[in-house]
Amino acid sequence: MNFFVLICARGGSKGIKNKNLKKINKKSLIGISIDLAKKINNNPIIVVSTDSLKIQKEALKHKVDIIIKRPKYLSTDSSPEILTWKHAINTLKKKYNLKFDYLISLPPTSPLRDIKDVHNCINHYNNNKYDGIITISESNRNPYFNMVKIKNKKVKLLFDSNKKIFRRQDAVKTYDINTVAYIFRTNYISNSKSLFDGNIGYTIIPKERSIDIDENLDLKIARVLKN
């Protein structure tokens, strides 16, 4: 089965200005993702989708194969990721006459991922009949135990249940979706409205490699852990 690696990196970000160009150990987040993608088995085509000229230049510096200019309507904070994937798949097909069985998405916001994490996802995908694979890590907080909502100036558990839970170990185990890797059939993406409409599997990633850069504190932590 043939696949391509998609790295989506828009220029705007509310949490950190020019987030995808921020550096860890003198290498940009977009550069880290591109360089790791080159280590994936079978030397896949690496595609960057962006609305930013600065990111285009950085991607070219790291010798990416194809750059897709992302339209403005897909470059806002509220733009669903799946629409950007659809746009990339259609562009590769119509402009470059390239058609793939599946895609691997490696968001730049996960700079601590290891190549073995990506290969584990690929193996899990290839050995099962999933429409897609997402990566997850065990949650630090649990909505059945220590996450609350405020109602009428009082706090209540986010998910209250008839069974009283006094220890975290007794609560339903929950996981966070992280941005280490996504693998999805291209036909599924083209014909679905949501990533979770089909048969979706998962790969668990250790917390120390699962940090998602969303704000400056995340970036500071990643820089410490990367050293």
Side-chain angles (χ1 to χ4, degrees):
M1 296 178 71
N2 66 327
F3 64 92
F4 72 100
V5 177
L6 178 61
I7 301 173
C8 299
R10 64 189 183 90
S13 176
K14 286 185 177 180
I16 306 175
K17 187 176 180 180
N18 295 319
K19 176 172 64 178
N20 292 307
L21 294 172
K22 294 298 181 184
K23 293 185 177 181
I24 297 177
N25 290 346
K26 299 181 179 181
K27 186 182 291 188
S28 66
L29 295 184
I30 180 75
I32 291 171
S33 281
I34 293 171
D35 289 352
L36 184 132
K38 293 177 181 178
K39 298 178 182 178
I40 297 175
N41 293 339
N42 301 323
N43 298 314
I45 288 176
I46 303 171
V47 179
V48 167
S49 171
T50 185
D51 62 322
S52 166
L53 288 175
K54 289 182 179 179
I55 291 176
Q56 286 186 39
K57 290 179 180 179
E58 182 69 9
L60 288 173
K61 189 172 79 173
H62 287 268
K63 299 181 180 179
V64 71
D65 296 304
I66 296 173
I67 294 178
I68 292 175
K69 185 177 179 181
R70 193 192 312 192
K72 290 184 178 180
Y73 74 92
L74 293 178
S75 305
T76 67
D77 288 327
S78 58
S79 302
E81 187 84 348
I82 190 172
L83 295 184
T84 301
W85 293 3
K86 287 176 185 283
H87 178 262
I89 292 168
N90 289 334
T91 301
L92 290 173
K93 183 178 179 180
K94 293 179 180 179
K95 186 175 180 178
Y96 297 94
N97 196 30
L98 293 172
K99 188 176 181 181
F100 300 92
D101 295 313
Y102 65 98
L103 67 84
I104 299 174
S105 174
L106 299 180
T109 52
S110 189
L112 302 184
R113 68 166 70 87
D114 192 279
I115 188 61
K116 66 183 177 183
D117 298 321
V118 180
H119 284 150
N120 285 341
C121 289
I122 294 172
N123 291 335
H124 190 40
Y125 176 86
N126 287 335
N127 291 330
N128 294 276
K129 295 182 179 180
Y130 291 121
D131 294 310
I133 293 280
I134 65 170
T135 51
I136 60 176
S137 52
E138 189 174 344
S139 301
N140 291 322
R141 295 283 178 176
N142 192 304
Y144 296 93
F145 177 64
N146 58 2
M147 293 182 68
V148 298
K149 58 185 176 182
I150 299 175
K151 188 175 182 180
N152 298 327
K153 296 184 178 180
K154 296 179 181 178
V155 293
K156 291 189 175 182
L157 282 173
L158 193 59
F159 291 129
D160 205 356
S161 64
N162 294 329
K163 179 184 176 182
K164 296 300 179 183
I165 298 173
F166 301 100
R167 302 187 311 156
R168 178 187 174 92
Q169 295 92 326
D170 297 328
V172 176
K173 205 164 190 178
T174 58
Y175 298 85
D176 296 327
I177 298 173
N178 56 53
T179 57
V180 170
Y182 302 85
I183 301 180
F184 277 84
R185 286 195 300 110
T186 51
N187 284 342
Y188 172 80
I189 293 299
S190 296
N191 295 298
S192 299
K193 294 181 179 180
S194 167
L195 293 182
F196 297 96
D197 284 342
N199 182 23
I200 310 303
Y202 64 90
T203 299
I204 298 177
I205 308 295
K207 290 181 183 179
E208 64 268 19
R209 298 200 300 274
S210 299
I211 192 167
D212 185 19
I213 307 296
D214 188 50
E215 54 187 38
N216 279 306
L217 179 60
D218 302 322
L219 188 58
K220 290 178 181 178
I221 293 171
R223 283 170 173 163
V224 171
L225 294 177
K226 194 73 171 177
N227 286 331

